[in-house]
Amino acid sequence: MTHTTERLQATYRVETPLSLEQAAATLAGEQSSGTFVAVPGESEELKRRFAARVEHVTPHETVESPSLPGGVAGERFQRGEITVSWSTENFGSNLPTIVSTLEGNLFELKAFTGLKLLDFEAPASLLEAFTGPRRGVEGCRALTGVHDRPMIGTIIKPSVGLSPDETAELVSPLIAAGIDFVKDDELMADPPHSPFNERVDAVMRLVNDHAERTGKRVMVAFNVSGDLDVMLRHYDKIAAAGGTCAMVSLNSVGLTAVKRLCEHGELAIHGHRNGWGMLTRHPYLGVEFPAYQKLWRLAGVDQLHVNGIANKFWEPDDSVVRSIASCLEPLGATRPVLPVVSSGQWGGQAFETYRRTKTVDLLYMAGGGVMAHPGGPAAGVVALQQAWAAAADGGTLIETAAANAEFRQSVERFGDEESKRLVAGGTR
Amino acid sequence: MTHTTERLQATYRVETPLSLEQAAATLAGEQSSGTFVAVPGESEELKRRFAARVEHVTPHETVESPSLPGGVAGERFQRGEITVSWSTENFGSNLPTIVSTLEGNLFELKAFTGLKLLDFEAPASLLEAFTGPRRGVEGCRALTGVHDRPMIGTIIKPSVGLSPDETAELVSPLIAAGIDFVKDDELMADPPHSPFNERVDAVMRLVNDHAERTGKRVMVAFNVSGDLDVMLRHYDKIAAAGGTCAMVSLNSVGLTAVKRLCEHGELAIHGHRNGWGMLTRHPYLGVEFPAYQKLWRLAGVDQLHVNGIANKFWEPDDSVVRSIASCLEPLGATRPVLPVVSSGQWGGQAFETYRRTKTVDLLYMAGGGVMAHPGGPAAGVVALQQAWAAAADGGTLIETAAANAEFRQSVERFGDEESKRLVAGGTR
């Protein structure tokens, strides 16, 4: 591979009725000159310099029926991986145009009955054009004053219907219990029953009071998703009220506006990935998380959702573990993005999460796991702290339940049958 | 259905190992309060007012294996359609939050092994909050001076490597031949070899000269996709140079920045949907075009890609025909968005396109079909004009080829074997 340092290189999992080589060449053609016949002006010199290039082809198994409709007819369908590269001259540091190159019309091609972007590698010269997360893991630790353990967070539930004052009433005991982070739900930003500014004022009054008394400033991620000018105004409101974080629905708002938001000031940006299931749930369509997180990291997002171990959603644990690792991997000189572990979490998963990831560089979120704790939300926070202190110290769920009343209540409420039985047995 | 006028209603094609009713209820729960246990503060009164509601459930066939991985285990999987509604109180006219509601975490649910948003209906009170396309079909006709026939367009190819002057050299004969519309390729916006401002200056000099001499102002869609501030600056550059259109890669740039761009001034916004295949190619994952076009129309996009009849991509003709119809359907008081027909088009498809859609409210684009015409690009434009004049008049491909030399050359170059044989036979 010559000139790799000046080329963007992407790897795809594919399925094709053609040979892998033919299919890869079709992709490379579509994603450089991109028409169905040779056209005037397309000299050999231009082609050499600007055409996409097939770098590797690795065959896997063949299958009898296609994963996606609309492909060229075939008897069998070859699966495999292909790697294609482009000169960065084509797009420079234009992030949406990089996305159009990596993820554009290629999903429309009849040459493929399956296509998924697995990952991409950008040369140093390209990465240097991006600031990346302004805060990242270390910056969020500095803002929350939490070190050597995961930041513990929760979501304000129910997501709909509460007034600003009712929201503040829910937040108050969480702050008192020592929570590090609270976030809005993605389904609510600035509705009539909870106007954004009033919600910020009501909640930040509590956060500021607590910070003055204790020195601990809870990070609250207010959902700014909306029209651009409103997003920026809401961002400014948060900053003026003493807040440290803004939340945005990445897929709904989109890359360009999120990048603009990240560049706007000093707040940490909490990236909610709702809609991500559509982009990744099929093994032969869409995008895998290692590629996805790089794009949002280049845009400057500081915190990014990754689901969690034994989550309530469809995603397998292996995928979650890989996502956490990829958030923390180097990407040029950019800061790592803080993985946000959530979905069906209640503290019981801390042990497996730590065993498999060996990191505490996490924002560990429990919604119901905190808010529906039998001892109330404050006990829910304490239970999570107990779980993580023990997990990072090599403890087990059973030992931790035996030694800590709040965590024990969590197991009794949220644990699986086996955990419940073991915990009940341990005290007999 | 009570209070439908104040509810947003969405219909999904689904597949589930559960009963359709259970699956629908799970979706409604996730997309309102959204946690795995009942939580404090979630009173019956709040639930009644804010919870999502299942409106209809229509069973279809069952299948033996799941379309998507990660679902609840099952013996058989029930397919069908479900309709869910939300009070618009939850999100108001916040477009990204509407998207998070319609397309958010629901794709992650284990209750579904298939889920595709088919369409949604917004109440008049919600639609009124959106201006929609500032130009739309009629506005683009006014800007180009083209009436009673499709606007004819082409793409500057090759998409990469040409300097501004070389680009202008390609555009010059197209303008002379009477083309209505020219666009950049989505893979190139502002690269070092073709700086945006220089390209606009080089091309607009020709457009302005031609407009002064003939009164016909060719619409050129310059690709502004990029960082927000750059997009707006490039938009202003186009307007200052006498241009009438800016192109943007919708999926790569995202909804919020595109809406901001649409609100910026008087240019028509050409919406390129590259990446759309990822969102729609699987029948049980993602989004169908009727829903997709509504979101971009509410954002204000004036022109939207729909592929074309017998396109080079995977999409069947039926789907293309439905997309064209949905762009032109009423959506409150918003203007229709101009359907951009493209992909493997050369004029031969004009006959079937007109027969099936009965509309000439189209921007009909041919890339290779113009640029690689045997008589050169100018002859390619003439051939397209001949094809559409005949098609809208009820003519056939064979008659049109017999009567028009340029279109005949198109058939000889781009037609299928049967067309070529018939056209050859017709002159024997």
Side-chain angles (χ1 to χ4, degrees):
Chain A
M1 285 188 290
T2 51
H3 307 301
T4 301
T5 50
E6 298 303 325
R7 294 182 79 81
L8 176 72
Q9 186 165 299
T11 300
Y12 302 87
R13 181 189 298 145
V14 304
E15 181 188 286
T16 176
L18 312 177
S19 73
L20 277 184
E21 289 75 11
Q22 278 178 292
T26 305
L27 187 157
E30 173 65 27
Q31 290 306 90
S32 40
S33 77
T35 186
F36 67 115
V37 283
V39 296
E42 197 170 34
S43 69
E44 285 308 310
E45 191 270 329
L46 280 187
K47 275 195 194 166
R48 256 194 313 280
R49 188 164 150 205
F50 290 97
R53 194 162 72 198
V54 178
E55 300 283 358
H56 300 289
V57 165
T58 309
H60 294 160
E61 78 279 18
T62 63
V63 291
E64 283 180 13
S65 51
S67 292
L68 299 174
V72 175
E75 299 261 302
R76 294 192 69 82
F77 300 85
Q78 176 72 51
R79 291 179 167 180
E81 282 185 20
I82 63 176
T83 299
V84 177
S85 73
W86 294 264
S87 166
T88 58
E89 273 192 284
N90 292 354
F91 35 72
S93 61
N94 185 318
L95 198 53
T97 306
I98 291 172
V99 173
S100 291
T101 302
L102 294 172
E103 307 177 10
N105 277 343
L106 61 177
F107 293 96
E108 305 267 359
L109 295 172
K110 286 180 178 172
F112 296 96
T113 55
L115 185 71
K116 195 167 198 183
L117 173 62
L118 299 181
D119 202 354
F120 66 88
E121 300 295 330
S125 59
L126 181 54
L127 293 178
E128 278 164 15
F130 297 93
T131 307
R134 291 196 172 186
R135 298 291 188 173
V137 175
E138 287 314 310
C140 291
R141 288 201 177 285
L143 288 170
T144 55
V146 175
H147 302 282
D148 305 321
R149 64 170 178 82
M151 286 152 266
I152 303 286
T154 193
I155 306 147
I156 301 169
K157 296 284 183 182
S159 57
V160 290
L162 295 184
S163 70
D165 286 342
E166 289 166 336
T167 304
E169 271 174 50
L170 279 182
V171 173
S172 181
L174 297 166
I175 292 177
I179 198 133
D180 308 312
F181 180 95
V182 178
K183 70 176 267 290
D184 278 348
D185 191 273
E186 81 274 13
L187 299 175
M188 196 194 72
D190 187 23
H193 59 81
S194 185
F196 187 87
N197 289 348
E198 292 177 33
R199 190 164 79 250
V200 170
D201 285 336
V203 171
M204 286 310 299
R205 197 175 302 126
L206 300 173
V207 169
N208 290 331
D209 284 355
H210 188 74
E212 270 171 40
R213 279 185 288 109
T214 67
K216 180 178 174 70
R217 179 167 294 277
V218 175
M219 180 179 275
V220 182
F222 295 102
N223 183 9
V224 299
S225 306
D227 282 354
L228 188 84
D229 299 341
V230 176
M231 290 210 306
L232 298 179
R233 206 158 62 228
H234 285 170
Y235 182 114
D236 292 339
K237 170 68 188 177
I238 297 168
T244 53
C245 186
M247 163 175 154
V248 61
S249 289
L250 302 176
N251 302 307
S252 305
V253 164
L255 198 58
T256 293
V258 169
K259 185 163 188 280
R260 177 66 185 78
L261 190 75
C262 292
E263 291 164 352
H264 190 58
E266 299 302 317
L267 298 185
I269 301 297
H270 181 89
H272 197 294
R273 68 174 189 179
N274 66 82
W276 166 239
M278 176 164 49
L279 307 179
T280 203
R281 188 160 166 188
H282 195 289
Y284 279 88
L285 181 64
V287 182
E288 291 282 340
F289 190 82
Y292 181 78
Q293 62 90 19
K294 280 184 187 170
L295 293 171
W296 293 110
R297 217 162 138 183
L298 293 179
V301 168
D302 296 290
Q303 309 176 351
L304 183 55
H305 281 236
V306 294
N307 269 341
I309 295 289
N311 62 77
K312 68 172 176 168
F313 290 140
W314 77 279
E315 190 176 357
D317 290 350
D318 285 352
S319 174
V320 174
V321 169
R322 189 193 55 172
S323 294
I324 291 171
S326 69
C327 287
L328 299 173
E329 266 169 16
L331 179 66
T334 67
R335 294 181 181 85
V337 57
L338 179 64
V340 181
V341 177
S342 73
S343 173
Q345 303 296 302
W346 56 273
Q349 298 102 323
F351 304 92
E352 182 71 357
T353 306
Y354 187 73
R355 189 185 71 77
R356 296 202 56 183
T357 65
K358 293 290 181 229
T359 187
V360 292
D361 283 340
L362 302 170
L363 170 52
Y364 191 81
M365 303 272 306
V370 164
M371 305 295 280
H373 188 282
V381 173
V382 172
L384 285 171
Q385 292 166 336
Q386 292 165 344
W388 268 102
D393 204 35
T396 68
L397 183 145
I398 306 302
E399 293 161 10
T400 310
N404 299 279
E406 291 84 359
F407 182 65
R408 184 191 165 83
Q409 286 183 294
S410 286
V411 179
E412 288 165 356
R413 175 75 198 269
F414 306 120
D416 58 19
E417 289 313 309
E418 196 194 345
S419 306
K420 285 177 184 168
R421 193 176 51 74
L422 286 168
V423 165
T427 59
R428 228 177 267 146
Chain B
M1 285 188 289
T2 51
H3 306 303
T4 301
T5 50
E6 299 304 324
R7 294 182 79 81
L8 176 71
Q9 186 165 300
T11 300
Y12 301 88
R13 181 190 298 145
V14 304
E15 181 188 286
T16 176
L18 313 176
S19 73
L20 278 184
E21 289 76 10
Q22 278 178 293
T26 305
L27 188 157
E30 172 67 26
Q31 291 305 91
S32 38
S33 77
T35 186
F36 66 115
V37 285
V39 297
E42 197 170 34
S43 70
E44 284 308 310
E45 191 269 330
L46 280 187
K47 274 195 195 167
R48 254 194 314 280
R49 189 162 150 207
F50 290 98
R53 195 162 72 198
V54 179
E55 300 283 357
H56 300 288
V57 165
T58 309
H60 293 161
E61 78 279 18
T62 63
V63 292
E64 284 180 12
S65 50
S67 293
L68 299 174
V72 174
E75 300 262 303
R76 294 193 67 82
F77 300 85
Q78 177 72 52
R79 292 179 167 180
E81 283 186 19
I82 64 176
T83 300
V84 177
S85 73
W86 294 264
S87 165
T88 57
E89 272 191 286
N90 293 355
F91 36 74
S93 61
N94 185 317
L95 198 53
T97 306
I98 291 172
V99 173
S100 291
T101 303
L102 294 172
E103 305 177 12
N105 278 344
L106 62 175
F107 293 97
E108 306 266 1
L109 295 172
K110 285 180 180 174
F112 296 95
T113 54
L115 186 71
K116 196 168 197 182
L117 173 63
L118 298 181
D119 202 355
F120 66 88
E121 299 296 330
S125 59
L126 182 55
L127 293 177
E128 278 164 13
F130 297 93
T131 307
R134 292 197 171 185
R135 297 293 188 171
V137 175
E138 287 313 310
C140 291
R141 287 202 178 286
L143 288 170
T144 56
V146 175
H147 302 282
D148 306 319
R149 63 168 178 85
M151 287 153 264
I152 303 286
T154 193
I155 308 147
I156 300 169
K157 296 280 183 183
S159 57
V160 289
L162 294 185
S163 70
D165 286 343
E166 289 166 337
T167 304
E169 270 174 51
L170 279 181
V171 172
S172 182
L174 297 165
I175 293 176
I179 199 134
D180 307 312
F181 180 95
V182 177
K183 69 177 266 292
D184 279 348
D185 191 274
E186 80 275 12
L187 300 175
M188 196 194 73
D190 188 22
H193 60 80
S194 184
F196 187 86
N197 289 349
E198 291 177 33
R199 190 164 78 250
V200 170
D201 285 336
V203 172
M204 286 310 299
R205 197 174 304 126
L206 301 173
V207 169
N208 290 331
D209 282 357
H210 187 74
E212 270 171 41
R213 278 187 288 108
T214 67
K216 180 177 176 68
R217 178 166 294 277
V218 176
M219 180 179 275
V220 183
F222 295 101
N223 183 11
V224 300
S225 306
D227 284 354
L228 187 83
D229 300 342
V230 175
M231 289 209 307
L232 298 179
R233 206 159 62 230
H234 285 170
Y235 182 114
D236 293 339
K237 170 68 187 177
I238 296 168
T244 54
C245 186
M247 163 175 156
V248 61
S249 289
L250 302 175
N251 302 306
S252 306
V253 164
L255 198 58
T256 294
V258 168
K259 185 163 189 281
R260 176 66 185 78
L261 190 75
C262 291
E263 291 164 350
H264 190 59
E266 299 303 318
L267 298 185
I269 301 297
H270 180 89
H272 198 293
R273 68 173 191 181
N274 66 84
W276 165 239
M278 175 164 51
L279 307 178
T280 205
R281 188 159 166 188
H282 195 289
Y284 279 87
L285 180 65
V287 182
E288 291 282 339
F289 190 82
Y292 181 79
Q293 62 89 20
K294 280 183 186 170
L295 293 171
W296 293 110
R297 216 160 137 183
L298 293 178
V301 168
D302 296 289
Q303 308 177 351
L304 184 54
H305 281 237
V306 295
N307 269 341
I309 295 291
N311 62 79
K312 67 172 178 170
F313 291 140
W314 77 279
E315 190 175 357
D317 290 351
D318 285 354
S319 174
V320 174
V321 169
R322 189 194 55 173
S323 294
I324 291 171
S326 70
C327 288
L328 300 173
E329 266 169 15
L331 178 66
T334 67
R335 293 181 183 84
V337 57
L338 179 64
V340 181
V341 177
S342 72
S343 172
Q345 302 296 300
W346 56 273
Q349 297 102 324
F351 304 92
E352 182 71 357
T353 305
Y354 187 73
R355 188 184 72 78
R356 296 202 56 184
T357 65
K358 292 290 180 230
T359 186
V360 293
D361 283 341
L362 302 170
L363 171 51
Y364 191 82
M365 304 272 304
V370 163
M371 304 295 280
H373 188 281
V381 173
V382 172
L384 285 171
Q385 292 166 336
Q386 292 164 344
W388 267 103
D393 204 35
T396 68
L397 184 144
I398 306 302
E399 292 161 10
T400 310
N404 299 278
E406 290 84 358
F407 181 66
R408 183 189 166 84
Q409 285 182 294
S410 286
V411 179
E412 289 164 355
R413 175 74 196 270
F414 306 120
D416 59 19
E417 289 313 309
E418 195 194 346
S419 305
K420 285 178 184 169
R421 193 177 49 75
L422 285 169
V423 166
T427 59
R428 229 178 268 143

